[in-house]
Each structure stands twice: as C-alpha cells, then as structure tokens.
Amino acid sequence: MIIHHPSDDLIAAYAAGSLDEANSLALATHLTLCPQCRHAYAGFEALGGTMVEEMELAPMKADALLATLGRARSDTTIVAERRPAVKSPVAKSGQAPLFPMPLQFYVGGDLDAAKWKTLGPGIQHMPLISTDGVTARLLRIAPGQAVFEHSHQGNELTLVLRGSYTAGGDRYARGDLEMADAEINHRPVAGSEDVCVCLAVTDAPLRFGNWLGRLMQPFIGI
Ligand SMILES: [Zn+2]
C-alpha cells in the first residue's frame, strides 16, 4: 500500500507537461504504480482540455495558450522518445517486473540490466539522466545501511522500487515517493529486510553533513 505521494502541484505540472525529463521520469514511474495518483493526473488532464475549449471562445488568447500547450505536449513525449533499446521488458523468471516500463526505457531492462557503480560502503548508483543540472539516478543500498547525512540546495524526489528506507521517522516502501526540499536534513537508513532500490531525482548537488560525505563528494559527483 502506497502512503507517500507526490503533491497535487507536482502532478498538475506533470499533466501540463512542464516538468523536466528527470522529474517526469519519477512521476511517470510513480503513476504506473499508484492508481490514486493516476486518477488525480486524469483530472488535471481533463482540466487542461476544458481550458482549451474555453479559450476557443476567446480567439485573441487562444493562439498563445495553444502554443503553450503544444510546447507542453512535446515536452511530455521526451520520456517516451528517449528510450534506449529495451532488452528484457519482462523478467525472465515470469515474475512481474520490478521496474515499471517508463524506468525500463532508461535502464535498458529490469533490475538485472542495471549497471551499478559504487558510491560508498554498501551504496551503488546508476546515473540515468542529467539535463540542465537535474539528475535522475538509481540507488542500491545494502540492507540496514545508512546513507550519508545530507541536506539539499534544491529539491529531491526519491521513489522506492524495492525494499524500504526510513527517514525523519517515516518509512518509505515500494511505490512511496518522498519529496524533500532545502529545509530537510536527513539520514535515510535502508530497511534490514532487503536491499533498497530507489529512483532519486535531484535538482542541485547534495550537501553532506559529515566529513566522509564531504570528502567523497568531489569523487562521486553527486
Ligand atoms: Zn501516488
């Protein structure tokens, strides 16, 4: 059961096509897992359609709005167009895939297709998107492992795909999406029951709160 969802503002921005590629990937992936947010998304899309119909009654402004919506539409197609070849859309074992389709386009398949690089003890990542300072990466954290304490200069979205983690007294499991901003200084800890795999989107470099994190930041590039 999903407890943590994106805000309505974020879903509306995604429906309007005004999110960048990395945040669009996080929203598309969450929506694939979450009927509640798909419902909200459909509502915002319908609202956008109604706005277009109303603007047709006011021809002076219709062109400008349609131009804006046209631009928005082309933005939302980025995620679909920028797909690398998908090698194994369905897990070979016959199990349901761990990664929803939008994510598989970027990884090139399910979890077994991910190519991990070590970030630190018990933490690996796979960069997926880096556009205009906004990055999306997969993180793989060993059971019970604490991530470096860090705060944010910008926003961070974290979507859990496997296992769980705890941060700020809240637990996040598959499908949950945590929204963190510059006010939050946290130290997520992976659940002890399983490896934790998440999709993380950041729009500014993280600020690490301990000396090890600060020491490693120039080398790991996050
Ligand atoms: Zn949701």
mmCIF file of all heavy atoms in Angstrom, residues 53-72:
data_model
loop_
_atom_site.group_PDB
_atom_site.id
_atom_site.type_symbol
_atom_site.label_atom_id
_atom_site.label_comp_id
_atom_site.label_asym_id
_atom_site.label_seq_id
_atom_site.Cartn_x
_atom_site.Cartn_y
_atom_site.Cartn_z
ATOM 1 N N GLU A 53 -10.908 24.332 -24.572
ATOM 2 C CA GLU A 53 -12.235 24.579 -25.156
ATOM 3 C C GLU A 53 -12.734 25.982 -24.811
ATOM 4 O O GLU A 53 -13.290 26.680 -25.652
ATOM 5 C CB GLU A 53 -13.237 23.536 -24.633
ATOM 6 C CG GLU A 53 -13.069 22.188 -25.305
ATOM 7 C CD GLU A 53 -13.796 21.084 -24.561
ATOM 8 O OE1 GLU A 53 -14.717 21.399 -23.789
ATOM 9 O OE2 GLU A 53 -13.426 19.915 -24.758
ATOM 10 N N GLU A 54 -12.517 26.398 -23.573
ATOM 11 C CA GLU A 54 -12.972 27.732 -23.162
ATOM 12 C C GLU A 54 -12.195 28.821 -23.895
ATOM 13 O O GLU A 54 -12.750 29.840 -24.275
ATOM 14 C CB GLU A 54 -12.824 27.891 -21.640
ATOM 15 C CG GLU A 54 -13.906 27.112 -20.891
ATOM 16 C CD GLU A 54 -13.723 27.162 -19.386
ATOM 17 O OE1 GLU A 54 -12.761 27.815 -18.935
ATOM 18 O OE2 GLU A 54 -14.528 26.537 -18.689
ATOM 19 N N MET A 55 -10.927 28.567 -24.131
ATOM 20 C CA MET A 55 -10.114 29.582 -24.796
ATOM 21 C C MET A 55 -10.528 29.752 -26.251
ATOM 22 O O MET A 55 -10.331 30.789 -26.837
ATOM 23 C CB MET A 55 -8.624 29.201 -24.717
ATOM 24 C CG MET A 55 -8.045 29.290 -23.310
ATOM 25 S SD MET A 55 -8.380 30.849 -22.488
ATOM 26 C CE MET A 55 -6.971 31.800 -23.039
ATOM 27 N N GLU A 56 -11.136 28.717 -26.826
ATOM 28 C CA GLU A 56 -11.579 28.845 -28.216
ATOM 29 C C GLU A 56 -12.670 29.909 -28.353
ATOM 30 O O GLU A 56 -12.902 30.444 -29.430
ATOM 31 C CB GLU A 56 -12.065 27.489 -28.736
ATOM 32 C CG GLU A 56 -10.883 26.591 -29.117
ATOM 33 C CD GLU A 56 -11.270 25.148 -29.361
ATOM 34 O OE1 GLU A 56 -12.466 24.827 -29.208
ATOM 35 O OE2 GLU A 56 -10.370 24.369 -29.689
ATOM 36 N N LEU A 57 -13.346 30.214 -27.251
ATOM 37 C CA LEU A 57 -14.355 31.274 -27.265
ATOM 38 C C LEU A 57 -13.702 32.651 -27.205
ATOM 39 O O LEU A 57 -14.353 33.658 -27.399
ATOM 40 C CB LEU A 57 -15.312 31.115 -26.080
ATOM 41 C CG LEU A 57 -16.095 29.789 -26.046
ATOM 42 C CD1 LEU A 57 -16.868 29.670 -24.742
ATOM 43 C CD2 LEU A 57 -17.026 29.685 -27.245
ATOM 44 N N ALA A 58 -12.420 32.686 -26.902
ATOM 45 C CA ALA A 58 -11.697 33.954 -26.797
ATOM 46 C C ALA A 58 -10.497 33.900 -27.748
ATOM 47 O O ALA A 58 -9.383 33.649 -27.341
ATOM 48 C CB ALA A 58 -11.233 34.183 -25.357
ATOM 49 N N PRO A 59 -10.772 34.114 -29.055
ATOM 50 C CA PRO A 59 -9.742 33.860 -30.072
ATOM 51 C C PRO A 59 -8.456 34.661 -29.894
ATOM 52 O O PRO A 59 -7.398 34.214 -30.306
ATOM 53 C CB PRO A 59 -10.438 34.246 -31.388
ATOM 54 C CG PRO A 59 -11.757 34.828 -31.030
ATOM 55 C CD PRO A 59 -12.045 34.567 -29.594
ATOM 56 N N MET A 60 -8.544 35.828 -29.249
ATOM 57 C CA MET A 60 -7.327 36.626 -29.089
ATOM 58 C C MET A 60 -6.247 35.878 -28.315
ATOM 59 O O MET A 60 -5.079 35.994 -28.595
ATOM 60 C CB MET A 60 -7.637 37.936 -28.349
ATOM 61 C CG MET A 60 -8.459 38.930 -29.152
ATOM 62 S SD MET A 60 -7.595 39.501 -30.619
ATOM 63 C CE MET A 60 -6.388 40.610 -29.870
ATOM 64 N N LYS A 61 -6.717 35.111 -27.319
ATOM 65 C CA LYS A 61 -5.741 34.451 -26.462
ATOM 66 C C LYS A 61 -5.503 32.990 -26.839
ATOM 67 O O LYS A 61 -4.584 32.373 -26.353
ATOM 68 C CB LYS A 61 -6.215 34.501 -24.998
ATOM 69 C CG LYS A 61 -6.206 35.896 -24.400
ATOM 70 C CD LYS A 61 -6.677 35.839 -22.961
ATOM 71 C CE LYS A 61 -6.774 37.244 -22.380
ATOM 72 N NZ LYS A 61 -7.431 37.236 -21.077
ATOM 73 N N ALA A 62 -6.380 32.461 -27.678
ATOM 74 C CA ALA A 62 -6.317 31.023 -27.935
ATOM 75 C C ALA A 62 -4.965 30.613 -28.512
ATOM 76 O O ALA A 62 -4.408 29.599 -28.135
ATOM 77 C CB ALA A 62 -7.444 30.622 -28.880
ATOM 78 N N ASP A 63 -4.431 31.410 -29.423
ATOM 79 C CA ASP A 63 -3.171 31.034 -30.061
ATOM 80 C C ASP A 63 -2.058 30.873 -29.045
ATOM 81 O O ASP A 63 -1.289 29.922 -29.091
ATOM 82 C CB ASP A 63 -2.757 32.094 -31.097
ATOM 83 C CG ASP A 63 -3.609 31.985 -32.349
ATOM 84 O OD1 ASP A 63 -4.413 31.026 -32.418
ATOM 85 O OD2 ASP A 63 -3.479 32.848 -33.233
ATOM 86 N N ALA A 64 -2.006 31.844 -28.119
ATOM 87 C CA ALA A 64 -0.933 31.812 -27.126
ATOM 88 C C ALA A 64 -1.052 30.568 -26.253
ATOM 89 O O ALA A 64 -0.065 29.885 -25.991
ATOM 90 C CB ALA A 64 -0.982 33.063 -26.251
ATOM 91 N N LEU A 65 -2.294 30.267 -25.820
ATOM 92 C CA LEU A 65 -2.467 29.099 -24.952
ATOM 93 C C LEU A 65 -2.149 27.815 -25.705
ATOM 94 O O LEU A 65 -1.459 26.938 -25.197
ATOM 95 C CB LEU A 65 -3.890 29.045 -24.392
ATOM 96 C CG LEU A 65 -4.114 27.822 -23.489
ATOM 97 C CD1 LEU A 65 -3.342 27.986 -22.184
ATOM 98 C CD2 LEU A 65 -5.572 27.588 -23.205
ATOM 99 N N LEU A 66 -2.647 27.733 -26.934
ATOM 100 C CA LEU A 66 -2.403 26.515 -27.710
ATOM 101 C C LEU A 66 -0.913 26.335 -27.968
ATOM 102 O O LEU A 66 -0.405 25.218 -27.960
ATOM 103 C CB LEU A 66 -3.185 26.552 -29.031
ATOM 104 C CG LEU A 66 -4.694 26.336 -28.852
ATOM 105 C CD1 LEU A 66 -5.435 26.561 -30.159
ATOM 106 C CD2 LEU A 66 -4.983 24.933 -28.326
ATOM 107 N N ALA A 67 -0.219 27.452 -28.182
ATOM 108 C CA ALA A 67 1.228 27.354 -28.371
ATOM 109 C C ALA A 67 1.881 26.798 -27.105
ATOM 110 O O ALA A 67 2.755 25.938 -27.159
ATOM 111 C CB ALA A 67 1.806 28.733 -28.714
ATOM 112 N N THR A 68 1.408 27.285 -25.956
ATOM 113 C CA THR A 68 1.953 26.805 -24.687
ATOM 114 C C THR A 68 1.665 25.321 -24.505
ATOM 115 O O THR A 68 2.544 24.545 -24.147
ATOM 116 C CB THR A 68 1.326 27.585 -23.510
ATOM 117 O OG1 THR A 68 1.543 28.966 -23.752
ATOM 118 C CG2 THR A 68 1.953 27.184 -22.191
ATOM 119 N N LEU A 69 0.402 24.942 -24.765
ATOM 120 C CA LEU A 69 0.049 23.531 -24.587
ATOM 121 C C LEU A 69 0.793 22.659 -25.586
ATOM 122 O O LEU A 69 1.199 21.556 -25.267
ATOM 123 C CB LEU A 69 -1.466 23.343 -24.727
ATOM 124 C CG LEU A 69 -2.283 23.862 -23.544
ATOM 125 C CD1 LEU A 69 -3.771 23.768 -23.861
ATOM 126 C CD2 LEU A 69 -1.974 23.078 -22.279
ATOM 127 N N GLY A 70 0.978 23.180 -26.790
ATOM 128 C CA GLY A 70 1.718 22.425 -27.800
ATOM 129 C C GLY A 70 3.132 22.152 -27.332
ATOM 130 O O GLY A 70 3.651 21.051 -27.460
ATOM 131 N N ARG A 71 3.718 23.170 -26.711
ATOM 132 C CA ARG A 71 5.078 23.019 -26.185
ATOM 133 C C ARG A 71 5.074 21.983 -25.060
ATOM 134 O O ARG A 71 5.923 21.125 -24.975
ATOM 135 C CB ARG A 71 5.578 24.364 -25.677
ATOM 136 C CG ARG A 71 7.059 24.527 -25.786
ATOM 137 C CD ARG A 71 7.476 25.975 -25.701
ATOM 138 N NE ARG A 71 6.909 26.680 -24.589
ATOM 139 C CZ ARG A 71 6.265 27.850 -24.679
ATOM 140 N NH1 ARG A 71 6.115 28.427 -25.839
ATOM 141 N NH2 ARG A 71 5.793 28.441 -23.617
ATOM 142 N N ALA A 72 4.048 22.091 -24.208
ATOM 143 C CA ALA A 72 3.948 21.158 -23.087
ATOM 144 C C ALA A 72 3.817 19.728 -23.606
ATOM 145 O O ALA A 72 4.457 18.826 -23.101
ATOM 146 C CB ALA A 72 2.747 21.518 -22.210
#
